[in-house]
Amino acid sequence: QVQLVESGGGLVQPGGSLRLSCVDSGSTFEEYEMAWYREAPGKALERVAVISTTGRTSHADAVKGRFTISRDNARHTIYLRMDILRPEDTAVYYCAKGQPPISWGQGTQVTVSS
């Protein structure tokens, strides 16, 4: 049963921006922390950002000041606004429900290249 669906990935030039979305079709979205992870080729899975049920956020040092996680409980959706993108941000980005995660999305590819 598909529960988390990401969208918004694509190809962007260095310095550009993207906004990822993740919709949760479940009924308990408001009760869970939500997070974005990424997996780059040859690298370990990395947590990029997390948002609490009350909206408190935390971002990895590698993206701090460039990425922003947010949530819309009415829409059961989280977002990842990504600005000043760099080639090293190239990865498959996954949203996750809960910490530790109990459910994952299928992933969306982000490629930063000129």
Side-chain angles (χ1 to χ4, degrees), residues 2-3 8 12-14 20 22 24-25 33-34 36 44 59-62 77 79 88 94 96 98 111-112:
V2 176
Q3 186 165 11
V12 62
Q13 292 186 342
L20 305 183
C22 172
D24 178 9
S25 61
E33 289 183 289
M34 299 292 294
W36 287 98
H59 298 78
D61 287 345
T77 301
Y79 304 96
E88 54 263 40
Y94 300 91
T111 302
V112 185

Side-chain angles (χ1 to χ4, degrees), residues 48-99:
V48 174
V50 61
I51 186 165
S52 74
T53 56
T54 59
R56 183 160 51 187
T57 63
S58 178
H59 298 78
D61 287 345
V63 306
K64 203 168 289 184
R66 299 187 299 120
F67 291 11
T68 304
I69 188 172
S70 60
R71 69 188 296 161
D72 184 338
N73 287 342
R75 290 181 166 82
H76 285 203
T77 301
I78 63 167
Y79 304 96
L80 185 68
R81 172 71 183 188
M82 306 185 293
D83 295 312
I84 318 175
L85 281 159
R86 303 168 179 166
E88 54 263 40
D89 296 318
T90 295
V92 178
Y93 284 72
Y94 300 91
C95 68
K97 184 173 186 176
Q99 290 289 297

Side-chain angles (χ1 to χ4, degrees), residues 30-51:
E30 300 85 351
E31 299 174 15
Y32 287 89
E33 289 183 289
M34 299 292 294
W36 287 98
Y37 290 76
R38 67 185 180 185
E39 187 171 33
K43 295 188 177 181
L45 187 67
E46 174 188 23
R47 194 177 75 178
V48 174
V50 61
I51 186 165

